[in-house]
Amino acid sequence: LNSKKKKKIGIKTIWIPVVVALLIWSKLPYVSNPILYIILGGAGGYYIMERGLRKAIREKTEDERRSEK
Amino acid sequence: MIYLKLIWGYLRIGLFGFGGGYAMLALIERIIVGNGWITETMFTDIVAISQMTPGPIGINSATYIGYVAPGVSSPSFSAPIWGILGSILCTLVVVVPSYILTLYMSHLIQRHRDSTIVKGIFSGLRPVVVGMIASAALLLMNEANFGSQTQEIVASVLICIGAFAGVYWLKIHPILIIILSGIAGFLIY
């Protein structure tokens, strides 16, 4: 719980540590591999950030077009 | 052959051991117990030894497993010299990748502090690291730590809840909690 506070995990992302912890603990083949979640976490974080940035740029461009009109 | 397996195993721990000692525990357990180098009970003992000795748990376990694993794999490697060789190899293999990565990452972060790639990767890794720490806690709630008889399990769960409440809500220092838990364990058992 202290780590949760330190890592600034909010209501939208709280499910991630819960799912990761349970899947690693389950010891099921493939899905219990911690390396998988490190790679997925890094790639997923990058994808979400990139998508958010693209969306912000698109919205800004549309706003500029509207103001020009 | 055992040395190659040890190098490959600890290379993965060194490369993917994000989030510090406790986040690495699940990965260490999967590799060393999964390969049959040690048993679940021995793993719990290593965690306890690593906590009692100075230094990070990843390095301590590498030194210990490197020493023990060759002898476990084959009786011809039971001489101490093979164990020392294994210890040196495992410790180097677990330290060198993270050393190089940290060196490179600190340089990279300095240069690309506001980069989307760096920010995105770290924001994705944060919740995963918390999950890995939580999974380490779940992994350690095993028979070796909590006992097998009902009375033992109940006493262990009560000590566990008490320690959690003491650290999290009452803000008691963890060292004091360890001492108090030891006294409780001595009185109960």
Side-chain angles (χ1 to χ4, degrees):
Chain A
L1 291 173
N2 278 331
S3 318
K4 193 201 95 179
K5 275 185 194 168
K6 279 179 197 166
K7 309 271 180 191
K8 293 174 189 168
I9 291 165
I11 201 87
K12 279 183 184 175
T13 47
I14 189 68
W15 63 273
I16 303 172
V18 175
V19 170
V20 167
L22 290 174
L23 284 171
I24 293 173
W25 181 59
S26 71
K27 292 190 180 177
L28 290 167
Y30 306 110
V31 291
S32 64
N33 191 345
I35 296 172
L36 177 74
Y37 300 105
I38 291 166
I39 294 167
L40 283 179
Y46 169 67
Y47 173 72
I48 291 165
M49 190 70 92
E50 177 91 348
R51 202 179 61 173
L53 199 74
R54 268 191 216 156
K55 198 181 166 187
I57 292 167
R58 202 169 51 230
E59 279 173 2
K60 199 182 168 188
T61 325
E62 277 174 16
D63 282 347
E64 280 172 359
R65 272 184 201 161
R66 272 184 216 142
S67 61
E68 276 173 17
K69 280 177 186 176
Chain B
M1 192 64 188
I2 182 69
Y3 290 106
L4 286 176
K5 281 183 183 174
L6 283 170
I7 288 170
W8 175 234
Y10 272 98
L11 193 68
R12 280 184 289 165
I13 293 168
L15 277 172
F16 294 98
F18 287 92
Y22 290 101
M24 286 166 86
L25 268 186
L27 186 61
I28 296 171
E29 196 258 2
R30 187 186 161 88
I31 290 171
I32 64 177
V33 179
N35 278 309
W37 293 329
I38 55 159
T39 60
E40 195 83 43
T41 316
M42 276 173 84
F43 175 72
T44 311
D45 292 341
I46 291 169
V47 174
I49 292 165
S50 303
Q51 283 166 332
M52 285 188 284
T53 50
I57 193 166
I59 296 169
N60 290 354
S61 83
T63 312
Y64 185 86
I65 299 299
Y67 190 82
V68 171
V72 172
S73 72
S74 165
S76 55
F77 288 123
S78 56
I81 186 74
W82 298 113
I84 292 166
L85 179 67
S87 271
I88 293 166
L89 278 175
C90 285
T91 311
L92 276 176
V93 158
V94 84
V95 166
V96 170
S98 55
Y99 172 76
I100 294 167
L101 266 177
T102 310
L103 209 66
Y104 180 69
M105 282 302 283
S106 57
H107 175 69
L108 194 85
I109 289 167
Q110 284 285 327
R111 277 182 63 188
H112 306 281
R113 199 174 290 166
D114 300 319
S115 151
T116 320
I117 301 170
V118 175
K119 274 186 182 173
I121 289 170
F122 280 107
S123 67
L125 279 174
R126 269 183 223 123
V128 172
V129 166
V130 175
M132 286 171 73
I133 295 168
S135 75
L138 291 172
L139 284 170
L140 290 172
M141 286 179 190
N142 55 19
E143 205 182 304
N145 280 329
F146 278 62
S148 54
Q149 291 175 340
T150 318
Q151 200 183 344
E152 282 178 336
I153 295 169
V154 170
S156 301
V157 168
L158 285 174
I159 292 172
C160 182
I161 293 168
F164 175 79
V167 173
Y168 191 70
W169 285 303
L170 304 172
K171 310 284 176 201
I172 300 170
H173 199 280
I175 293 173
L176 187 62
I177 290 288
I178 292 168
I179 295 166
L180 289 173
S181 302
I183 294 167
F186 174 71
L187 291 172
I188 293 167
Y189 296 107

